[in-house]
């Protein structure tokens, strides 16, 4: 009778409290997972930036050395340059002209390509730095959003915005392309 009704009421209250704490634990686990995922992404982005920055620095050094070699050719003695037989009154043959054209072309390539490559590497380095700044800014916003909003049932189902932006979100929500043979 009455004791059974009181027992059911007490079991119901304990069940509700147990369910409340289980939901709270689940939300905290999801929150912890999101924060650790965002921290991991931040560390991966920093590592990727460091790797590519080191590569760019190495390429910059190589092209700077090549530019230095090209500039040092300009300082050589006159004996290292192709002979200018036209001033001596000697007829210039095709082979002499080709030698002079080849030398000037080589000198232009040794001076031009490293200079252009250095400018492009500086541009790429700036873009890489801007990419890291954007990723870190997005991650900071996402982490602060996770701290300011407690996770709800709908936010648990959605991956963080940074994961969607980096293409790391699941593809379950994407519609599948229609088959060519479908009616």
């Amino acid at each position: 009778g009455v004791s059974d009704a009181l027992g059911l009421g007490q079991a119901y209250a304990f069940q509700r409290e147990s369910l409340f704490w289980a939901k709270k634990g689940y939300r905290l686990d999801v929150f912890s997972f999101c924060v650790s995922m965002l921290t991991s992404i931040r560390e991966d982005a920093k590592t990727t930036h460091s790797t590519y920055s080191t590569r760019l620095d190495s390429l910059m050094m190589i092209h700077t050395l090549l530019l230095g070699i090209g500039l040092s050719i300009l300082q050589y003695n006159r004996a290292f340059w192709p002979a200018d037989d036209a001033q001596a009154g000697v007829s210039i043959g095709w082979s002499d002209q080709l030698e002079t054209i080849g030398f000037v072309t080589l000198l232009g390539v040794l001076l031009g390509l490293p200079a252009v490559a250095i400018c492009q590497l500086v541009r790429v380095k700036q873009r890489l730095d801007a990419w890291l700044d954007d990723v870190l800014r997005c991650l900071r916003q996402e982490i602060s959003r996770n701290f300011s909003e407690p996770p709800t049932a709908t936010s648990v189902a959605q991956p963080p915005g940074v994961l969607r932006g980096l293409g790391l979100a699941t593809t379950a929500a994407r519609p599948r392309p229609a088959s060519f043979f479908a009616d």
Side-chain angles (χ1 to χ4, degrees):
V2 176
S3 64
D4 290 337
L6 288 176
L8 285 175
Q10 188 177 14
Y12 176 74
F14 286 141
Q15 180 65 25
R16 285 189 69 198
E17 186 175 350
S18 175
L19 188 60
F20 169 77
W21 287 110
K23 284 181 181 179
K24 191 169 204 127
Y26 174 74
R27 287 186 192 129
L28 287 174
D29 286 345
V30 168
F31 174 74
S32 173
F33 174 75
C34 287
V35 169
S36 68
M37 179 69 75
L38 293 171
T39 304
S40 173
I41 290 172
R42 182 185 68 206
E43 295 303 318
D44 286 346
K46 284 182 178 180
T47 303
T48 301
H49 177 268
S50 174
T51 301
Y52 284 115
S53 180
T54 303
R55 286 183 188 177
L56 287 173
D57 290 341
S58 298
L59 288 172
M60 185 105 49
M61 185 176 60
I62 289 170
H63 287 293
T64 303
L65 290 173
L66 288 175
L67 183 63
I69 290 170
L71 290 173
S72 68
I73 288 176
L74 294 175
Q75 298 175 358
Y76 275 128
N77 191 342
R78 183 77 180 144
F80 290 105
W81 288 76
D84 189 10
D85 294 333
Q87 291 180 353
V90 179
S91 173
I92 299 175
W94 281 103
S95 64
D96 291 336
Q97 287 180 355
L98 288 176
E99 180 183 315
T100 303
I101 290 171
F103 182 77
V104 170
T105 303
L106 179 65
L107 188 62
V109 166
L110 283 175
L111 289 175
L113 286 181
V116 169
I118 289 171
C119 292
Q120 292 297 322
L121 287 171
V122 167
R123 222 171 109 223
V124 168
K125 178 89 170 174
Q126 289 172 344
R127 284 185 177 181
L128 183 65
D129 291 340
W131 171 81
L132 181 66
D133 290 340
D134 289 343
V135 168
L136 292 179
R137 182 178 37 79
C138 289
L139 287 171
R140 274 193 300 270
Q141 288 173 353
E142 192 67 32
I143 288 174
S144 67
R145 186 179 67 88
N146 279 339
F147 276 118
S148 65
E149 297 177 0
T152 62
T154 56
S155 69
V156 169
Q158 293 292 329
V162 173
L163 295 179
R164 285 192 303 271
L166 295 175
L168 299 175
T170 59
T171 58
R174 274 192 211 157
R176 291 183 174 215
S179 174
F180 181 76
F181 297 106
D183 290 332

